[in-house]
Structures are given as C-alpha cells and as structure tokens.
Amino acid sequence: MKVFGGSAFWLEGMLSVQDYFKPQPNQVIVGSTLKSGTTWLKALTFAIMTRSHVGESTNPLLTRLPHDCVPFIEVELCSSPQKLNLEVPLVATHIPYTSLPKSIINSSCKIVYICRDPKDVFVSLWHFRHKMNPKDMEDHPLEDAFECFCQGLTPCGPYWDHLLGYWRASLESPEKILFLKYENLKNETTYWVKKMAQFMGYPFSLEEEHRGVVQKIIDLCSFENLSSLKVNKSGIVRLEIGITQVGVNTLELKNNAFFRKGMVGDWKNLLTPEMAMRLDQITEQKLIGSGLTL
Ligand code: A3P
C-alpha cells in the first residue's frame, strides 16, 4: 500500500537534518505534523518574535507566505546543507520527536508543537493532496486514503505516534516544549498567544497589552486576514525537494493551498459516521494512559 500524501523527500530531508542541523542557542522550533495548523503557528510565532523591530505595515507576513518567513529545516537542508540562513531564530519541522537529531534534543532551544483532531487533519490532508496533484484522486480514492491514514501510512509517520512523541517530551521537559492544540488556539486565542510569547522568551509587557499588540498579532495572523492577502491568494511557492543527477527537483504549490477553511469540525462534511467513529476509536486506544485527550 502506498503512503498517502507522501514522498521520499521528507525522508531525505530528515537525514540531512540529522547530519547537518546545528540549532542556535536561542532558536525556537515550530513542530507539527502535516495539516495540524503549521502555517498559522508559523505566522504567530514569527509575528511574536519580530514585533519589536518590524513595523505593522512592513511586516513580511503581509507580502510573504508564512512558510517563506519560517523555513522547514528538512526542506531547506535537503537541497543544500549550507543553505539555512535565518533572519530570525525561528525554524519549523515535521520530523517526529524520536527522529530529531541530538543537536536539537540536547540544545537549549524551545519547541512549540501543535496538534489537531485527526479527523480534521485527515480531511485537510485529503483536500491538500488534491490541490497539489488532482491525479491523486485516481490513485487514492477516499476510502483508500482513509485506510492509509488509519494504518499510519502518512509522510511523517503515524499521526498518533507523532503527537505522542512531543506530548511525552513536553511532560518531561515543560520548559523546553509547549504542546498546543489547534482547537484551543481557535477558542482561546489570546490566552494561548500570550502563553506562547512567554514560553518563547518574548513575553508581552503590560504596556504592549494596553496598546493592543496581542490583538493586532492575532488579527494579522487570523485565517480571514492571511487568506485574503494577495500573496496568499495568488502566489506560488517553489520547494526544492532534492537534487538529482540532472539538477534540483522542485515542487510548485499555490500558496492558497495552505488556506482552505480554517475551521474546527469540517470533517463532518466528508467523513461518514463510521469513519469518524473508527478514527475516534484509534485515537482513544493510542492515547490511553498518556494523559492526553483530543
Ligand atoms: P483546513 O484544510 O481544515 O482548512 P498546515 O498549516 O499544518 O498545513 O494546516 C493547514 C490547515 O490549517 C488548513 O485547515 C488551513 O485552512 C488551516 N489554516 C491555515 N492558516 C490558518 C490560520 N491563520 N488560522 C487557522 N487555520 C489556518
């Protein structure tokens, strides 16, 4: 059975990260698996980190896709080990916790991880794949893709293992890993954005709070705002996904593929009650005894 939504370049990138990646001591890493809210979290962490030296009207998030502001280490290092040249000490990764290099695990850098209801993750991945490659529909009918997801045949490994790796590490080292849920970030955005800023070492001062800086960041990074920006509506991102004998392999994606609905519970529009129940049962079994609920 094929991996749903997958390609070897994630694996190549992960190996490059293990060989070459050396984090800066004050680096913050955005961790997630596919379609869990990475784009949103990249935007929020970037806006939090750069707020003291970037003007409101000149914020790069207004003219660049959040993925261009905060690179994935496995994508950047896959095409060129020397390439990671950062404007701000902020990077992202989809690599499972257990496969992170020791250079990260033993470093003082902090990880902000986001997870999401797997039913919404699967549905989001399904739509994303079809935007990337409509031919996928033929290769992967819904039932087939669903079976792959349930069996853990997805690019960053089984969904539940991914989040449990970071969850357990966050319990062991809460000062190093902040574990977020997409649904909580949606429902209590202000609380979690402040918590994130504090955790990252960029807390909001009272004066900033009074000036409405927290709300401005939330508004800048909201689904409604980001998805309506010209760059995110019509731009294109070219990912260098590996080097072959004939040159660099690139993958072209429309930026709007990263902004679909941004809702909690959209799975109801695609999954049958049986499919939803199956995913809920797997989630319950996998998370049993972990203290984590979704
Ligand atoms: P849907 O497909 O359910 O709409 P990732 O960024 O990890 O690829 O996840 C993509 C999901 O996050 C998509 O979910 C997308 O619409 C949603 N998303 C993107 N930007 C967002 C934002 N600013 N706020 C909330 N959700 C957002």
Side-chain angles (χ1 to χ4, degrees):
M1 193 178 266
K2 279 190 198 164
V3 170
F4 173 54
S7 68
F9 94 89
W10 287 112
L11 189 58
E12 277 177 42
M14 191 171 82
L15 295 174
S16 296
V17 168
Q18 289 176 348
D19 285 345
Y20 303 111
F21 184 64
K22 300 273 174 293
Q24 298 169 20
N26 59 345
Q27 197 134 45
V28 174
I29 300 178
V30 169
S32 63
T33 185
L34 298 173
K35 314 323 288 174
S36 297
T38 322
T39 314
W40 188 19
L41 189 58
K42 281 185 175 189
L44 285 169
T45 49
F46 183 85
I48 289 170
M49 199 177 259
T50 56
R51 71 183 186 275
S52 64
H53 58 272
V54 166
E56 270 174 48
S57 59
T58 54
N59 195 306
L61 288 168
L62 296 172
T63 49
R64 285 159 67 187
L65 180 70
H67 294 285
D68 282 339
C69 298
V70 185
F72 282 111
I73 48 178
E74 57 271 33
V75 174
E76 294 299 307
L77 292 175
C78 182
S79 57
S80 162
Q82 273 78 44
K83 206 174 147 198
L84 209 59
N85 179 14
L86 295 175
E87 293 159 44
V88 289
L90 181 63
V91 290
T93 188
H94 282 325
I95 298 177
Y97 186 79
T98 44
S99 300
L100 286 178
K102 287 209 169 53
S103 63
I104 293 181
I105 304 279
N106 298 334
S107 74
S108 58
C109 60
K110 302 200 172 200
I111 300 176
V112 185
Y113 184 83
I114 190 160
C115 76
R116 189 182 187 190
D117 179 339
K119 301 191 288 304
D120 280 333
V121 169
F122 169 73
V123 169
S124 185
L125 184 57
W126 166 257
H127 288 291
F128 184 73
R129 285 298 296 172
H130 294 148
K131 272 202 178 159
M132 270 173 79
N133 180 7
K135 204 180 103 25
D136 245 22
M137 286 254 205
E138 295 152 30
D139 295 352
H140 272 294
L142 180 66
E143 292 68 25
D144 186 9
F146 182 76
E147 194 54 41
C148 285
F149 189 86
C150 290
Q151 292 190 25
L153 296 168
T154 38
C156 309
Y159 174 77
W160 300 270
D161 294 355
H162 202 286
L163 64 99
L164 276 173
Y166 283 92
W167 170 250
R168 292 194 178 113
S170 77
L171 295 181
E172 273 171 31
S173 312
E175 72 295 345
K176 272 196 71 176
I177 301 175
L178 179 67
F179 193 94
L180 304 175
K181 296 179 189 171
Y182 180 94
E183 295 75 16
N184 291 350
L185 197 52
K186 269 267 168 193
N187 294 334
E188 303 159 283
T189 316
T190 308
Y191 172 83
W192 286 105
V193 166
K194 285 205 252 177
K195 181 133 183 133
M196 212 188 295
Q198 175 89 35
F199 172 82
M200 289 163 60
Y202 296 78
F204 292 103
S205 65
L206 273 181
E207 190 265 332
E208 281 185 306
E209 289 197 27
H210 289 144
R211 276 198 292 120
V213 175
V214 184
Q215 193 54 47
K216 279 184 188 155
I217 286 181
I218 292 172
D219 293 345
L220 169 68
C221 302
S222 70
F223 180 85
E224 292 68 27
N225 185 53
L226 289 184
S227 62
S228 69
L229 295 173
K230 192 171 161 218
V231 60
N232 296 328
K233 280 205 308 210
S234 53
I236 284 179
V237 62
R238 277 186 194 84
L239 300 175
E240 292 178 8
I241 57 169
I243 301 177
T244 63
Q245 282 169 336
V246 284
V248 178
N249 243 347
T250 56
L251 173 75
E252 258 190 24
L253 269 180
K254 286 189 180 147
N255 291 354
N256 69 14
F258 293 98
F259 304 91
R260 194 180 62 91
K261 288 190 177 175
M263 282 169 48
V264 172
D266 185 51
W267 59 265
K268 293 192 182 86
N269 292 316
L270 188 71
L271 301 186
T272 62
E274 292 72 29
M275 287 166 137
M277 203 194 304
R278 174 141 177 236
L279 273 183
D280 284 343
Q281 280 170 352
I282 297 174
T283 302
E284 205 183 309
Q285 282 165 11
K286 295 270 189 185
L287 301 194
I288 212 158
S290 69
L292 175 63
T293 50
L294 290 183

PDB file of all heavy atoms in Angstrom, residues 266-286:
ATOM      1  N   ASP A 266     -14.661  20.455  10.402  1.00  0.00           N
ATOM      2  CA  ASP A 266     -15.059  20.354   8.992  1.00  0.00           C
ATOM      3  C   ASP A 266     -15.106  18.895   8.517  1.00  0.00           C
ATOM      4  O   ASP A 266     -15.663  18.596   7.465  1.00  0.00           O
ATOM      5  CB  ASP A 266     -14.111  21.189   8.112  1.00  0.00           C
ATOM      6  CG  ASP A 266     -14.568  21.207   6.668  1.00  0.00           C
ATOM      7  OD1 ASP A 266     -15.753  21.511   6.430  1.00  0.00           O
ATOM      8  OD2 ASP A 266     -13.765  20.874   5.771  1.00  0.00           O
ATOM      9  N   TRP A 267     -14.537  17.987   9.310  1.00  0.00           N
ATOM     10  CA  TRP A 267     -14.565  16.573   8.927  1.00  0.00           C
ATOM     11  C   TRP A 267     -15.990  16.084   8.677  1.00  0.00           C
ATOM     12  O   TRP A 267     -16.216  15.156   7.898  1.00  0.00           O
ATOM     13  CB  TRP A 267     -13.884  15.700   9.989  1.00  0.00           C
ATOM     14  CG  TRP A 267     -14.485  15.779  11.368  1.00  0.00           C
ATOM     15  CD1 TRP A 267     -14.084  16.575  12.389  1.00  0.00           C
ATOM     16  CD2 TRP A 267     -15.604  15.027  11.869  1.00  0.00           C
ATOM     17  NE1 TRP A 267     -14.871  16.386  13.496  1.00  0.00           N
ATOM     18  CE2 TRP A 267     -15.809  15.437  13.208  1.00  0.00           C
ATOM     19  CE3 TRP A 267     -16.445  14.054  11.331  1.00  0.00           C
ATOM     20  CZ2 TRP A 267     -16.829  14.903  14.011  1.00  0.00           C
ATOM     21  CZ3 TRP A 267     -17.458  13.522  12.122  1.00  0.00           C
ATOM     22  CH2 TRP A 267     -17.634  13.948  13.447  1.00  0.00           C
ATOM     23  N   LYS A 268     -16.960  16.750   9.315  1.00  0.00           N
ATOM     24  CA  LYS A 268     -18.366  16.305   9.174  1.00  0.00           C
ATOM     25  C   LYS A 268     -18.833  16.381   7.724  1.00  0.00           C
ATOM     26  O   LYS A 268     -19.775  15.696   7.338  1.00  0.00           O
ATOM     27  CB  LYS A 268     -19.280  17.182  10.041  1.00  0.00           C
ATOM     28  CG  LYS A 268     -19.042  17.004  11.527  1.00  0.00           C
ATOM     29  CD  LYS A 268     -20.145  17.666  12.350  1.00  0.00           C
ATOM     30  CE  LYS A 268     -19.864  17.531  13.828  1.00  0.00           C
ATOM     31  NZ  LYS A 268     -19.002  18.596  14.353  1.00  0.00           N
ATOM     32  N   ASN A 269     -18.173  17.209   6.914  1.00  0.00           N
ATOM     33  CA  ASN A 269     -18.581  17.352   5.520  1.00  0.00           C
ATOM     34  C   ASN A 269     -17.980  16.300   4.595  1.00  0.00           C
ATOM     35  O   ASN A 269     -18.257  16.303   3.397  1.00  0.00           O
ATOM     36  CB  ASN A 269     -18.196  18.754   5.007  1.00  0.00           C
ATOM     37  CG  ASN A 269     -19.015  19.822   5.687  1.00  0.00           C
ATOM     38  OD1 ASN A 269     -20.228  19.671   5.834  1.00  0.00           O
ATOM     39  ND2 ASN A 269     -18.363  20.872   6.146  1.00  0.00           N
ATOM     40  N   LEU A 270     -17.125  15.445   5.128  1.00  0.00           N
ATOM     41  CA  LEU A 270     -16.505  14.440   4.254  1.00  0.00           C
ATOM     42  C   LEU A 270     -16.589  13.016   4.822  1.00  0.00           C
ATOM     43  O   LEU A 270     -16.852  12.062   4.094  1.00  0.00           O
ATOM     44  CB  LEU A 270     -15.028  14.793   3.994  1.00  0.00           C
ATOM     45  CG  LEU A 270     -14.329  13.929   2.961  1.00  0.00           C
ATOM     46  CD1 LEU A 270     -14.844  14.243   1.550  1.00  0.00           C
ATOM     47  CD2 LEU A 270     -12.813  14.136   2.981  1.00  0.00           C
ATOM     48  N   LEU A 271     -16.370  12.882   6.118  1.00  0.00           N
ATOM     49  CA  LEU A 271     -16.310  11.533   6.694  1.00  0.00           C
ATOM     50  C   LEU A 271     -17.701  11.000   7.007  1.00  0.00           C
ATOM     51  O   LEU A 271     -18.582  11.753   7.443  1.00  0.00           O
ATOM     52  CB  LEU A 271     -15.474  11.544   7.979  1.00  0.00           C
ATOM     53  CG  LEU A 271     -14.029  12.016   7.890  1.00  0.00           C
ATOM     54  CD1 LEU A 271     -13.325  11.803   9.230  1.00  0.00           C
ATOM     55  CD2 LEU A 271     -13.272  11.293   6.788  1.00  0.00           C
ATOM     56  N   THR A 272     -17.873   9.701   6.815  1.00  0.00           N
ATOM     57  CA  THR A 272     -19.129   9.076   7.246  1.00  0.00           C
ATOM     58  C   THR A 272     -19.057   8.902   8.769  1.00  0.00           C
ATOM     59  O   THR A 272     -17.959   8.917   9.350  1.00  0.00           O
ATOM     60  CB  THR A 272     -19.292   7.673   6.615  1.00  0.00           C
ATOM     61  OG1 THR A 272     -18.194   6.859   7.094  1.00  0.00           O
ATOM     62  CG2 THR A 272     -19.267   7.732   5.099  1.00  0.00           C
ATOM     63  N   PRO A 273     -20.200   8.702   9.439  1.00  0.00           N
ATOM     64  CA  PRO A 273     -20.168   8.468  10.886  1.00  0.00           C
ATOM     65  C   PRO A 273     -19.282   7.271  11.243  1.00  0.00           C
ATOM     66  O   PRO A 273     -18.591   7.276  12.261  1.00  0.00           O
ATOM     67  CB  PRO A 273     -21.627   8.207  11.253  1.00  0.00           C
ATOM     68  CG  PRO A 273     -22.409   8.893  10.178  1.00  0.00           C
ATOM     69  CD  PRO A 273     -21.579   8.800   8.934  1.00  0.00           C
ATOM     70  N   GLU A 274     -19.246   6.261  10.369  1.00  0.00           N
ATOM     71  CA  GLU A 274     -18.417   5.074  10.640  1.00  0.00           C
ATOM     72  C   GLU A 274     -16.931   5.432  10.601  1.00  0.00           C
ATOM     73  O   GLU A 274     -16.144   4.976  11.429  1.00  0.00           O
ATOM     74  CB  GLU A 274     -18.698   3.952   9.617  1.00  0.00           C
ATOM     75  CG  GLU A 274     -20.074   3.317   9.705  1.00  0.00           C
ATOM     76  CD  GLU A 274     -21.178   4.229   9.202  1.00  0.00           C
ATOM     77  OE1 GLU A 274     -20.924   5.077   8.318  1.00  0.00           O
ATOM     78  OE2 GLU A 274     -22.313   4.118   9.725  1.00  0.00           O
ATOM     79  N   MET A 275     -16.567   6.229   9.614  1.00  0.00           N
ATOM     80  CA  MET A 275     -15.151   6.644   9.511  1.00  0.00           C
ATOM     81  C   MET A 275     -14.757   7.467  10.743  1.00  0.00           C
ATOM     82  O   MET A 275     -13.686   7.265  11.316  1.00  0.00           O
ATOM     83  CB  MET A 275     -14.920   7.488   8.249  1.00  0.00           C
ATOM     84  CG  MET A 275     -14.942   6.724   6.955  1.00  0.00           C
ATOM     85  SD  MET A 275     -15.074   7.925   5.598  1.00  0.00           S
ATOM     86  CE  MET A 275     -13.905   7.259   4.466  1.00  0.00           C
ATOM     87  N   ALA A 276     -15.638   8.372  11.112  1.00  0.00           N
ATOM     88  CA  ALA A 276     -15.340   9.232  12.276  1.00  0.00           C
ATOM     89  C   ALA A 276     -15.172   8.365  13.519  1.00  0.00           C
ATOM     90  O   ALA A 276     -14.241   8.553  14.315  1.00  0.00           O
ATOM     91  CB  ALA A 276     -16.450  10.257  12.470  1.00  0.00           C
ATOM     92  N   MET A 277     -16.063   7.380  13.656  1.00  0.00           N
ATOM     93  CA  MET A 277     -16.002   6.515  14.841  1.00  0.00           C
ATOM     94  C   MET A 277     -14.706   5.710  14.847  1.00  0.00           C
ATOM     95  O   MET A 277     -14.069   5.538  15.882  1.00  0.00           O
ATOM     96  CB  MET A 277     -17.209   5.566  14.846  1.00  0.00           C
ATOM     97  CG  MET A 277     -17.538   5.054  16.238  1.00  0.00           C
ATOM     98  SD  MET A 277     -18.655   3.674  16.228  1.00  0.00           S
ATOM     99  CE  MET A 277     -20.040   4.299  15.346  1.00  0.00           C
ATOM    100  N   ARG A 278     -14.307   5.265  13.671  1.00  0.00           N
ATOM    101  CA  ARG A 278     -13.062   4.467  13.606  1.00  0.00           C
ATOM    102  C   ARG A 278     -11.859   5.323  14.032  1.00  0.00           C
ATOM    103  O   ARG A 278     -11.032   4.879  14.829  1.00  0.00           O
ATOM    104  CB  ARG A 278     -12.875   3.937  12.176  1.00  0.00           C
ATOM    105  CG  ARG A 278     -11.550   3.248  12.006  1.00  0.00           C
ATOM    106  CD  ARG A 278     -11.613   2.031  11.146  1.00  0.00           C
ATOM    107  NE  ARG A 278     -10.273   1.483  10.996  1.00  0.00           N
ATOM    108  CZ  ARG A 278      -9.685   1.260   9.837  1.00  0.00           C
ATOM    109  NH1 ARG A 278     -10.327   1.496   8.708  1.00  0.00           N
ATOM    110  NH2 ARG A 278      -8.468   0.771   9.799  1.00  0.00           N
ATOM    111  N   LEU A 279     -11.796   6.540  13.533  1.00  0.00           N
ATOM    112  CA  LEU A 279     -10.661   7.397  13.919  1.00  0.00           C
ATOM    113  C   LEU A 279     -10.708   7.713  15.414  1.00  0.00           C
ATOM    114  O   LEU A 279      -9.682   7.727  16.084  1.00  0.00           O
ATOM    115  CB  LEU A 279     -10.660   8.698  13.105  1.00  0.00           C
ATOM    116  CG  LEU A 279      -9.953   8.649  11.761  1.00  0.00           C
ATOM    117  CD1 LEU A 279      -9.959  10.019  11.091  1.00  0.00           C
ATOM    118  CD2 LEU A 279      -8.505   8.188  11.912  1.00  0.00           C
ATOM    119  N   ASP A 280     -11.909   7.953  15.923  1.00  0.00           N
ATOM    120  CA  ASP A 280     -12.034   8.240  17.367  1.00  0.00           C
ATOM    121  C   ASP A 280     -11.571   7.039  18.193  1.00  0.00           C
ATOM    122  O   ASP A 280     -10.913   7.187  19.221  1.00  0.00           O
ATOM    123  CB  ASP A 280     -13.477   8.598  17.734  1.00  0.00           C
ATOM    124  CG  ASP A 280     -13.834  10.022  17.313  1.00  0.00           C
ATOM    125  OD1 ASP A 280     -12.904  10.813  17.038  1.00  0.00           O
ATOM    126  OD2 ASP A 280     -15.035  10.334  17.242  1.00  0.00           O
ATOM    127  N   GLN A 281     -11.928   5.843  17.712  1.00  0.00           N
ATOM    128  CA  GLN A 281     -11.529   4.642  18.467  1.00  0.00           C
ATOM    129  C   GLN A 281     -10.010   4.459  18.452  1.00  0.00           C
ATOM    130  O   GLN A 281      -9.397   4.147  19.468  1.00  0.00           O
ATOM    131  CB  GLN A 281     -12.204   3.397  17.883  1.00  0.00           C
ATOM    132  CG  GLN A 281     -13.634   3.264  18.349  1.00  0.00           C
ATOM    133  CD  GLN A 281     -14.392   2.171  17.595  1.00  0.00           C
ATOM    134  OE1 GLN A 281     -13.883   1.603  16.620  1.00  0.00           O
ATOM    135  NE2 GLN A 281     -15.611   1.891  18.039  1.00  0.00           N
ATOM    136  N   ILE A 282      -9.411   4.674  17.288  1.00  0.00           N
ATOM    137  CA  ILE A 282      -7.942   4.551  17.203  1.00  0.00           C
ATOM    138  C   ILE A 282      -7.309   5.576  18.143  1.00  0.00           C
ATOM    139  O   ILE A 282      -6.382   5.268  18.901  1.00  0.00           O
ATOM    140  CB  ILE A 282      -7.432   4.764  15.762  1.00  0.00           C
ATOM    141  CG1 ILE A 282      -7.978   3.683  14.835  1.00  0.00           C
ATOM    142  CG2 ILE A 282      -5.898   4.747  15.710  1.00  0.00           C
ATOM    143  CD1 ILE A 282      -7.641   3.887  13.361  1.00  0.00           C
ATOM    144  N   THR A 283      -7.832   6.789  18.109  1.00  0.00           N
ATOM    145  CA  THR A 283      -7.268   7.849  18.955  1.00  0.00           C
ATOM    146  C   THR A 283      -7.367   7.453  20.422  1.00  0.00           C
ATOM    147  O   THR A 283      -6.400   7.578  21.186  1.00  0.00           O
ATOM    148  CB  THR A 283      -8.012   9.185  18.700  1.00  0.00           C
ATOM    149  OG1 THR A 283      -7.891   9.490  17.310  1.00  0.00           O
ATOM    150  CG2 THR A 283      -7.429  10.322  19.520  1.00  0.00           C
ATOM    151  N   GLU A 284      -8.521   6.948  20.809  1.00  0.00           N
ATOM    152  CA  GLU A 284      -8.711   6.568  22.215  1.00  0.00           C
ATOM    153  C   GLU A 284      -7.719   5.479  22.619  1.00  0.00           C
ATOM    154  O   GLU A 284      -7.056   5.572  23.650  1.00  0.00           O
ATOM    155  CB  GLU A 284     -10.146   6.069  22.399  1.00  0.00           C
ATOM    156  CG  GLU A 284     -10.637   6.210  23.817  1.00  0.00           C
ATOM    157  CD  GLU A 284     -12.029   5.620  23.947  1.00  0.00           C
ATOM    158  OE1 GLU A 284     -12.907   5.975  23.135  1.00  0.00           O
ATOM    159  OE2 GLU A 284     -12.209   4.782  24.867  1.00  0.00           O
ATOM    160  N   GLN A 285      -7.591   4.470  21.739  1.00  0.00           N
ATOM    161  CA  GLN A 285      -6.665   3.361  22.059  1.00  0.00           C
ATOM    162  C   GLN A 285      -5.225   3.841  22.143  1.00  0.00           C
ATOM    163  O   GLN A 285      -4.479   3.468  23.039  1.00  0.00           O
ATOM    164  CB  GLN A 285      -6.743   2.286  20.975  1.00  0.00           C
ATOM    165  CG  GLN A 285      -7.951   1.384  21.101  1.00  0.00           C
ATOM    166  CD  GLN A 285      -8.172   0.595  19.815  1.00  0.00           C
ATOM    167  OE1 GLN A 285      -7.322   0.577  18.913  1.00  0.00           O
ATOM    168  NE2 GLN A 285      -9.320  -0.055  19.726  1.00  0.00           N
ATOM    169  N   LYS A 286      -4.843   4.669  21.172  1.00  0.00           N
ATOM    170  CA  LYS A 286      -3.436   5.111  21.118  1.00  0.00           C
ATOM    171  C   LYS A 286      -3.079   6.015  22.293  1.00  0.00           C
ATOM    172  O   LYS A 286      -1.963   5.980  22.783  1.00  0.00           O
ATOM    173  CB  LYS A 286      -3.158   5.868  19.818  1.00  0.00           C
ATOM    174  CG  LYS A 286      -3.275   5.009  18.584  1.00  0.00           C
ATOM    175  CD  LYS A 286      -1.946   4.377  18.243  1.00  0.00           C
ATOM    176  CE  LYS A 286      -2.001   3.693  16.896  1.00  0.00           C
ATOM    177  NZ  LYS A 286      -0.798   2.966  16.576  1.00  0.00           N
TER     178      LYS A 286
END
